[in-house]
């Protein structure tokens, strides 16, 4: 009997941008158009070399992220995707996503060409409906270009469209955030990602944070809770802390990250969880290109994690989702009782941060606001359980409840 193929996601990092945003901490570069062809060659070579290791897998999601993947250009993108379809077992119904900025996604004929090549999901970085807010964070598009890009996508017959939004922007009020949400919803996307602005160290925004009027924690919390309620009333179900979708349109690729699914990343800064190993590539465009051609080391980190030792990841990632944690899955996967978490989870339930439904524990919208603290408490409970077991084993006491 033939062994069934295991599902696999591919992440293709496109590190080029027309202009880098002042809040962006992802590995991306502006002014490096001269390296686009060499980078495309390197990506194709790397994908070809890796393909034999994925022979036992079925690629059911492909995600082109960045940077600004649409800035790479239609011909290069089509070339990369055609190679993937040639070298890998790609599912007929695979979800194939392209991230794009509105200023580089207004040509419907280009989008039609990409759709015909196999791209079937488009993720547009709208961020705000207010041109002043967009300028404040270094975005080079306007709201009018967002509308034009959505119109072009629909004309090109994209039926799975996602919009990215950011709340907590400089000088943003609740009223302006509500206007952005309403404007985004009016475009009728199938999916919305609503992220809290993170002021990351090393970014231009971080350097001028003292003189930037950023909404406080309480204001951002109010924006988040409004978002959950507003989108729910419009039929967008929340399935992860920052992600909302119409029925059947949750991002299948992103769900891999939160459910310990396998994915292989390509490009500088790309991360992978493939073959039982978590690894990442150096955030260096030239080193990546050179490394592929010369077979030089390119990894910045690599760690093999036995399946039984993934309990920490399982807890951390599962609590990001609305589905939450299934005690039976925990006990089956890690051969330990879920009971060690219950005292803390009951405290969270009493505080309104967590609830149990249909045998699963998940965070409430208010719980998502303090998810870092909740996850910390869960990991403390896990660590205490491991310590207790280790002490019992050292005593030779094997009566401990496994």
């Amino acid at each position: 009997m033939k062994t069934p193929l295991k599902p696999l996601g591919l992440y293709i990092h496109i590190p080029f941008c027309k202009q880098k945003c002042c809040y962006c901490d992802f590995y991306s570069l502006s002014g490096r158009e001269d390296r686009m062809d060499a980078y495309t060659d390197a990506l194709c070579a790397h994908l070809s070399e890796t393909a034999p290791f994925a022979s036992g897998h079925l690629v059911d999601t492909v995600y082109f992220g960045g940077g600004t993947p649409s800035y790479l250009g239609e011909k290069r993108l089509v070339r990369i995707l055609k190679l993937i379809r040639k070298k890998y077992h790609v599912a007929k119904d695979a979800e194939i996503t392209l991230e794009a900025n509105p200023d580089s996604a207004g040509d419907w004929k280009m989008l039609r060409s990409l759709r015909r090549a196999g791209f079937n999901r488009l993720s547009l970085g709208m961020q705000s409906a207010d041109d002043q807010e967009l300028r404040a964070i270094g975005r080079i598009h306007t709201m009018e270009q967002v509308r034009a890009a959505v119109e072009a996508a629909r004309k090109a017959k994209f039926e799975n469209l996602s919009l990215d939004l950011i709340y907590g922007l400089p000088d943003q009020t609740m009223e302006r955030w509500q206007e952005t949400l309403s404007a985004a919803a009016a475009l009728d996307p199938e999916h919305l990602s609503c992220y809290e602005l993170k002021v990351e160290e090393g970014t231009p925004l971080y350097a001028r944070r003292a003189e930037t009027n950023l909404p406080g924690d309480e204001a951002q919390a109010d924006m988040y809770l409004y978002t959950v309620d507003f989108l729910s009333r419009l039929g967008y179900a929340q399935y992860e802390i920052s992600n909302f979708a119409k029925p059947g349109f949750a991002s299948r690729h992103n769900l891999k990250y939160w459910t310990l699914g396998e994915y292989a990343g390509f490009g500088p800064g790309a991360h992978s969880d493939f073959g039982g190993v978590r690894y990442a590539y150096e955030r260096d465009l030239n080193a990546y290109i050179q490394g592929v051609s010369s077979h030089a080391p390119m990894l910045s980190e690599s760690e093999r994690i036995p399946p039984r030792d993934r309990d920490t990841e399982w807890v951390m990632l599962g609590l990001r989702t609305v589905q939450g944690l299934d005690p039976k899955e925990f006990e089956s996967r890690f051969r330990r009782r879920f009971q060690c978490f219950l005292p803390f989870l009951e405290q969270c339930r009493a505080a309104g941060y967590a609830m149990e439904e249909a045998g699963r524990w998940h965070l409430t919208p208010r719980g998502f606001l303090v998810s870092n603290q909740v996850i910390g408490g869960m990991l403390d409970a896990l660590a205490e359980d491991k310590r207790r077991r280790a002490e019992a084993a050292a005593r030779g006491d094997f009566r401990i409840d496994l």
Side-chain angles (χ1 to χ4, degrees):
M1 191 162 114
K2 223 175 180 183
T3 305
L5 298 175
K6 295 180 287 185
L8 176 68
L10 299 183
Y11 173 79
I12 314 300
H13 189 64
I14 308 298
F16 302 102
C17 282
K18 194 171 183 180
Q19 176 179 298
K20 194 170 173 70
C21 302
C22 66
Y23 61 87
C24 180
D25 188 44
F26 293 115
Y27 181 70
S28 59
L29 306 162
S30 60
R32 296 312 312 269
E33 293 83 357
D34 61 309
R35 300 299 278 158
M36 284 182 172
D37 286 330
Y39 181 63
T40 302
D41 290 343
L43 266 182
C44 289
H46 194 192
L47 282 159
S48 296
E49 291 171 5
T50 305
F53 298 101
S55 60
H57 291 75
L58 180 68
V59 173
D60 57 354
T61 67
V62 184
Y63 195 101
F64 284 68
T68 309
S70 53
Y71 193 47
L72 189 65
E74 169 195 338
K75 290 183 179 179
R76 299 185 187 95
L77 291 169
V78 169
R79 178 189 167 195
I80 296 166
L81 184 55
K82 279 186 175 178
L83 182 131
I84 290 171
R85 295 173 82 102
K86 179 181 178 182
K87 298 288 185 179
Y88 292 78
H89 301 296
V90 179
K92 289 181 180 179
D93 66 343
E95 175 193 86
I96 303 178
T97 302
L98 176 72
E99 285 187 346
N101 279 356
D103 59 286
S104 58
D107 182 346
W108 76 271
K109 290 184 178 179
M110 176 201 74
L111 293 179
R112 181 180 63 181
S113 175
L114 292 171
R115 181 187 58 76
R116 286 176 172 173
F119 290 95
N120 54 30
R121 185 174 185 271
L122 188 65
S123 179
L124 290 173
M126 173 178 164
Q127 315 311 1
S128 171
D130 187 306
D131 288 351
Q132 184 177 333
E133 289 180 351
L134 291 171
R135 287 193 296 272
I137 56 174
R139 302 293 292 181
I140 58 175
H141 72 270
T142 64
M143 183 56 198
E144 188 53 43
Q145 287 177 308
V146 173
R147 294 190 183 96
V150 170
E151 183 180 349
R154 295 310 193 191
K155 191 172 181 180
K157 298 198 172 2
F158 271 92
E159 298 176 350
N160 192 349
L161 176 66
S162 179
L163 298 178
D164 280 6
L165 305 176
I166 303 177
Y167 63 91
L169 298 177
D171 296 312
Q172 189 176 56
T173 62
M174 172 64 89
E175 183 180 10
R176 285 164 75 172
W177 171 241
Q178 290 171 340
E179 289 170 356
T180 283
L181 268 180
S182 295
L187 295 173
D188 198 27
E190 283 69 34
H191 185 280
L192 282 159
S193 295
C194 302
Y195 300 108
E196 175 189 352
L197 177 68
K198 299 289 187 184
V199 183
E200 303 285 359
E201 192 170 351
T203 63
L205 184 60
Y206 183 87
R208 62 172 192 265
R209 67 193 184 284
E211 61 265 21
T212 301
N213 183 27
L214 295 168
D217 292 343
E218 194 170 319
Q220 290 198 37
D222 289 341
M223 291 177 186
Y224 177 75
L225 293 174
Y226 176 83
T227 301
V228 174
D229 178 65
F230 176 78
L231 293 180
S232 174
R233 285 187 276 115
L234 292 180
Y236 291 93
Q238 184 180 22
Y239 66 96
E240 190 267 347
I241 289 179
S242 305
N243 287 277
F244 307 79
K246 292 181 179 180
F249 288 97
S251 170
R252 287 158 52 192
H253 183 83
N254 286 341
L255 280 169
K256 289 183 181 294
Y257 301 145
W258 303 313
T259 57
L260 294 182
E262 282 193 287
Y263 56 93
F266 297 84
H271 286 71
S272 302
D273 187 350
F274 181 44
V277 181
R278 278 196 179 275
Y279 57 94
Y281 294 105
E282 293 281 0
R283 291 163 59 106
D284 187 321
L285 174 65
N286 289 327
Y288 180 82
I289 294 172
Q290 180 61 33
V292 171
S293 64
S294 64
H295 302 284
M298 299 185 293
L299 295 180
S300 60
E301 57 187 82
S302 178
E303 181 183 12
R304 180 171 291 279
I305 308 173
R308 291 271 185 92
D309 292 344
R310 291 192 167 226
D311 47 3
T312 297
E313 294 174 88
W314 187 87
V315 170
M316 291 175 63
L317 297 171
L319 284 176
R320 288 186 59 91
T321 70
V322 169
Q323 288 293 314
L325 308 178
D326 180 354
K328 291 181 180 177
E329 181 187 345
F330 177 84
E331 293 176 355
S332 171
R333 187 187 281 252
F334 304 111
R335 297 290 187 266
R336 292 199 304 281
R337 297 296 300 274
F338 189 81
Q339 196 169 353
C340 66
F341 300 114
L342 294 182
F344 179 71
L345 283 172
E346 289 295 350
Q347 293 177 30
C348 291
R349 172 153 57 185
Y353 296 151
M355 60 191 302
E356 184 185 15
E357 285 184 305
R360 302 179 71 102
W361 283 90
H362 66 86
L363 300 188
T364 63
R366 290 194 175 277
F368 281 139
L369 285 171
V370 292
S371 60
N372 288 341
Q373 294 94 310
V374 173
I375 289 171
M378 291 287 285
L379 297 186
D380 286 345
L382 185 60
E384 173 59 24
D385 184 61
K386 288 181 177 180
R387 184 195 63 76
R388 183 172 62 89
R389 290 172 182 280
E391 288 182 354
R395 294 194 305 268
D397 183 359
F398 299 106
R399 294 171 298 167
I400 189 167
D401 181 19
L402 297 177

